[in-house]
Amino acid sequence: MSESDNNKLTPTIIKDMRVPTPSTASRTYKDAINALNTLQSNFASIEAIKKLGPDVNKNEMSLREVYEYTRRLGYQPKDFNRMNLIHVTGTKGKGSTCAFTESILNQYKSSNAGPINKIGLFTSPHLKTVRERIRINGSPINELKFTKYFFEVWDKLSTTESSVTEFPTLQPSNVVKPMYFKYLTILSFHVFMSEGVDSAIYEVGVGGQYDSTNIIDAPTVVGISSLGIDHTFMLGTTIDSITWNKTGIFKKGCPAVVSDQLEYPESLEVIKKRATELGVSRLEIVDSNYLPSNVKLGLAGDFQRLNAALAIKLAATHLQKLGVPPSELPDFDNSNTLPDKFLNGLSETQWSGRCQLIEREGINWYIDGAHTLESINVASNWFKSTVNTNHQPNKGLKILLFNQQNRENANDLLKKLYENISSTEFKFDHVIFTTNITWSDGNYNSDLVSLNSSKEQVDKLIIQKELAEVWSKLDQKNGYNSRKHIFHDIETGVNFIKSLTNDSPIIDVFVCGSLHLVGGFLVVLDNERD
Ligand SMILES: Nc1ncnc2c1ncn2[C@@H]1O[C@H](COP(=O)(O)OP(=O)(O)OP(=O)(O)O)[C@@H](O)[C@H]1O
């Protein structure tokens, strides 16, 4: 899950969503966000769901709810096929893969007779604004459109009744709404259909089989990026059960492209078995050799080569299905170069918060939302090697800005980071732990409000104190002594770091541990208070 978009957990919580919303004429973007935020699962309900563990009945019911809401909006999943959907899952790299794919397709966009005129992209979670999740032609939809479509869905669901009585959340006459992630999924279909999108890329929220996006009926192609152990309370604890869930997006008669599974090669057996069972038309496993060595990628980090290779195959399969002539597509059998449109698409790809470097006012901010062991590994390697290429490792101040609020293995993530980075010539001078609260007055930007975390834990900085303790012990063991700081909010942390420019001409800051931290950080850095 995108990190812990815990709002993707949903199913059987009975909740009355009758929130007061302003009259139609005066509805603003903020009203939409406030209404959307009422659909977030709170900490207690998330804990209750986690305790239930993977439960097939609950999961099936959750997906059937999406079909029902879609029907109430006036759509059949088959209607969405006309948007030519690409569906992508994976444990790591699915967002980047979608971004590469979108950027390649963008090169084939034409305003006249071509098959691609408008490209939709649905991803999660968001960094700065919810609108990032629903993009058209590379840009998040604007506030006006978001508000309009948001309330169209809201009103429709408030005035239609469910024909199904068996779902606890769907009693007739109830005006209940889907929970946060489901709502955004349904909203995205409505937006893309209304806006005339003709190629759409969908990133799965969690897993695949029971994910809200899996009402997709006949994608042009599906993709699976690197698999790993994550979201075990929903997907099971073994790589087999996780792979089974992810391969749930395979569809009869549709081709599937899968990244070579370097971390868990055994998952390929499950993938092949499921491909046969579910009747995919062609299964391809791609490795980074598909990428000519001279290709320049817009996204940093060696691991992106594998994601880019997957994206190339996804885009090529999609374009071929849409009737783009072979002369304009890669010739994988006979050539080890790519058409210019592919090369441009790959080099122009942008995806914030993943191995992103921002140099501003004497500070180098190295930003990555890594929040699994594998991604902490790749992100910290990227940080270390990029600092090392920019200047001598022992020059300047090195600072870590870290948080991981919701994951049980937060301490392990921090330990992994420590092991990867710390060495005699490379150690952090300051280590800062904050909550994900955006501003020093205790407020979040509305788009960043999170009900997923325990208020008590946040108020008392329980997790941050634990993390600082973990770091101290590791420092003791290794004979280091970095300065630890605990701050209640991101803004205070950033201001503290900025104050250190007087002490050193070079400051390298690694911002890591959570996409929520990264989103709040980017808002603070750009001072985008709402
Ligand atoms: N192929 C990969 N192998 C290992 N780690 C990766 C890979 N691709 C991305 N990552 C790591 O995962 C982070 C998130 O990348 P990305 O958004 O592409 O993945 P995702 O699957 O969408 O993750 P999430 O669901 O958490 O958003 C990156 O910042 C990087 O640290």
Side-chain angles (χ1 to χ4, degrees):
M1 155 157 75
S2 336
E3 172 177 25
S4 56
D5 199 359
N6 276 327
N7 294 308
K8 290 167 187 169
L9 317 179
T10 47
T12 50
I13 297 191
I14 303 171
K15 210 169 166 187
D16 189 349
M17 296 303 170
R18 266 166 288 202
V19 291
T21 50
S23 68
T24 317
S26 59
R27 284 161 162 179
T28 63
Y29 176 66
K30 206 146 187 196
D31 293 329
I33 296 300
N34 288 340
L36 177 68
N37 283 341
T38 65
L39 307 182
Q40 285 196 34
S41 319
N42 64 24
F43 180 72
S45 56
I46 289 165
E47 289 305 296
I49 291 176
K50 281 185 178 171
K51 284 206 179 85
L52 287 177
D55 171 341
V56 171
N57 293 331
K58 173 193 77 184
N59 288 335
E60 268 174 4
M61 193 170 79
S62 171
L63 186 56
R64 273 156 56 213
E65 280 190 41
V66 187
Y67 282 107
E68 176 60 12
Y69 286 120
T70 306
R71 184 197 64 75
R72 283 168 62 188
L73 269 189
Y75 296 111
Q76 301 273 337
K78 278 193 174 20
D79 300 338
F80 305 143
N81 293 342
R82 75 159 193 255
M83 293 195 287
N84 299 308
L85 302 154
I86 300 178
H87 202 187
V88 182
T89 189
T91 305
K92 281 296 111 209
K94 53 192 180 302
S96 307
T97 301
C98 290
F100 281 125
T101 310
E102 195 264 354
S103 184
I104 297 170
L105 296 190
N106 191 40
Q107 299 285 324
Y108 286 81
K109 212 172 64 206
S110 73
S111 50
N112 41 47
I116 300 184
N117 297 289
K118 265 194 186 175
I119 306 164
L121 176 61
F122 176 70
T123 56
S124 55
H126 59 273
L127 293 175
K128 290 166 146 189
T129 87
V130 174
R131 294 176 293 108
E132 291 162 26
R133 297 179 183 228
I134 304 177
R135 293 175 200 243
I136 295 181
N137 288 343
S139 303
I141 58 166
N142 65 33
E143 293 191 359
L144 218 61
K145 281 192 177 169
F146 186 93
T147 309
K148 170 178 158 3
Y149 291 124
F150 179 91
F151 282 114
E152 279 177 11
V153 171
W154 189 270
D155 292 342
K156 192 84 182 201
L157 295 181
S158 301
T159 53
T160 52
E161 288 189 359
S162 169
S163 62
V164 183
T165 51
E166 65 192 284
F167 307 146
T169 53
L170 284 173
Q171 298 301 334
S173 312
N174 237 347
V175 286
V176 290
K177 305 283 189 309
M179 302 297 277
Y180 193 95
F181 181 72
K182 260 183 210 157
Y183 193 95
L184 287 171
T185 308
I186 296 163
L187 174 63
S188 72
F189 285 119
H190 178 55
V191 171
F192 293 158
M193 290 292 280
S194 308
E195 289 286 313
V197 158
D198 50 21
S199 275
I201 304 160
Y202 268 80
E203 178 189 350
V204 161
V206 185
Q209 179 82 36
Y210 304 114
D211 187 72
S212 306
T213 60
N214 208 24
I215 61 165
I216 288 176
D217 169 65
T220 56
V221 58
V222 304
I224 301 184
S225 63
S226 296
L227 295 174
I229 307 289
D230 202 10
H231 306 301
T232 48
F233 63 96
M234 289 183 86
L235 308 178
T237 52
T238 64
I239 194 67
D240 279 9
S241 66
I242 290 169
T243 309
W244 184 90
N245 269 289
K246 303 274 178 188
T247 49
I249 66 167
F250 286 170
K251 295 281 148 55
K252 194 171 165 49
C254 298
V257 189
V258 175
S259 284
D260 197 9
Q261 298 299 324
L262 305 174
E263 200 76 34
Y264 293 96
E266 66 272 32
S267 64
L268 288 174
E269 285 315 306
V270 181
I271 289 170
K272 286 176 191 160
K273 190 161 167 267
R274 288 275 281 167
T276 309
E277 275 168 16
L278 295 170
V280 306
S281 59
R282 188 177 75 237
L283 173 67
E284 275 187 275
I285 316 284
V286 291
D287 59 36
S288 45
N289 292 330
Y290 276 101
L291 211 59
S293 53
N294 59 348
V295 167
K296 197 176 158 302
L297 300 180
L299 306 184
D302 288 345
F303 58 90
Q304 290 294 5
R305 294 185 63 77
L306 191 55
N307 299 332
L310 177 60
I312 290 170
K313 277 284 174 168
L314 289 172
T317 310
H318 180 80
L319 290 164
Q320 190 193 13
K321 275 202 158 182
L322 263 53
V324 172
S327 58
E328 292 184 35
L329 295 176
D331 178 1
F332 295 110
D333 294 331
N334 300 308
S335 166
N336 60 359
T337 59
L338 291 169
D340 283 351
K341 285 182 176 173
F342 272 64
L343 293 173
N344 294 341
L346 292 168
S347 69
E348 288 171 18
T349 306
Q350 294 185 3
W351 202 232
S352 288
R354 282 80 173 173
C355 294
Q356 182 184 7
L357 171 59
I358 298 179
E359 294 160 310
R360 201 175 285 178
E361 292 160 18
I363 304 178
N364 306 318
W365 304 94
Y366 295 79
I367 306 153
D368 190 275
H371 50 267
T372 65
L373 289 171
E374 291 89 358
S375 54
I376 286 280
N377 204 17
V378 298
S380 48
N381 285 346
W382 162 78
F383 168 65
K384 197 168 165 169
S385 69
T386 316
V387 169
N388 282 346
T389 29
N390 286 352
H391 56 78
Q392 287 186 335
N394 53 3
K395 282 244 168 85
L397 280 181
K398 280 183 205 61
I399 300 171
L400 174 67
L401 177 62
F402 187 93
N403 189 33
Q404 177 41 253
Q405 197 66 42
N406 293 318
R407 293 185 164 242
E408 275 156 23
N409 68 345
N411 293 352
D412 293 337
L413 297 176
L414 190 68
K415 282 183 199 158
K416 182 87 189 164
L417 191 154
Y418 192 105
E419 275 165 23
N420 254 26
I421 290 194
S422 300
S423 62
T424 331
E425 76 283 10
F426 202 106
K427 48 183 179 280
F428 287 107
D429 302 284
H430 296 271
V431 181
I432 299 167
F433 300 102
T434 76
T435 68
N436 294 333
I437 292 175
T438 324
W439 303 109
S440 53
D441 60 8
N443 287 318
Y444 292 90
N445 264 15
S446 312
D447 288 55
L448 303 182
V449 166
S450 168
L451 306 178
N452 302 166
S453 314
S454 147
K455 187 170 173 335
E456 193 197 355
Q457 277 185 348
V458 173
D459 287 349
K460 296 188 177 163
L461 298 165
I462 290 173
I463 286 171
Q464 290 64 35
K465 287 176 187 162
E466 254 180 55
L467 292 168
E469 188 63 33
V470 167
W471 196 273
S472 293
K473 286 197 178 131
L474 289 165
D475 260 358
Q476 263 169 26
K477 202 168 126 198
N478 290 284
Y480 301 152
N481 190 14
S482 41
R483 295 182 57 186
K484 267 85 53 194
H485 312 267
I486 295 177
F487 295 121
H488 188 259
D489 59 273
I490 300 170
E491 184 183 22
T492 308
V494 169
N495 285 341
F496 170 74
I497 296 169
K498 285 183 177 169
S499 75
L500 297 173
T501 44
N502 299 328
D503 300 356
S504 168
I506 302 176
I507 297 189
D508 294 306
V509 188
F510 188 28
V511 185
C512 186
S514 151
L515 282 166
H516 297 292
L517 171 73
V518 162
F521 164 77
L522 291 169
V523 162
V524 168
L525 194 67
D526 293 334
N527 200 15
E528 289 178 322
R529 193 183 284 269
D530 69 353

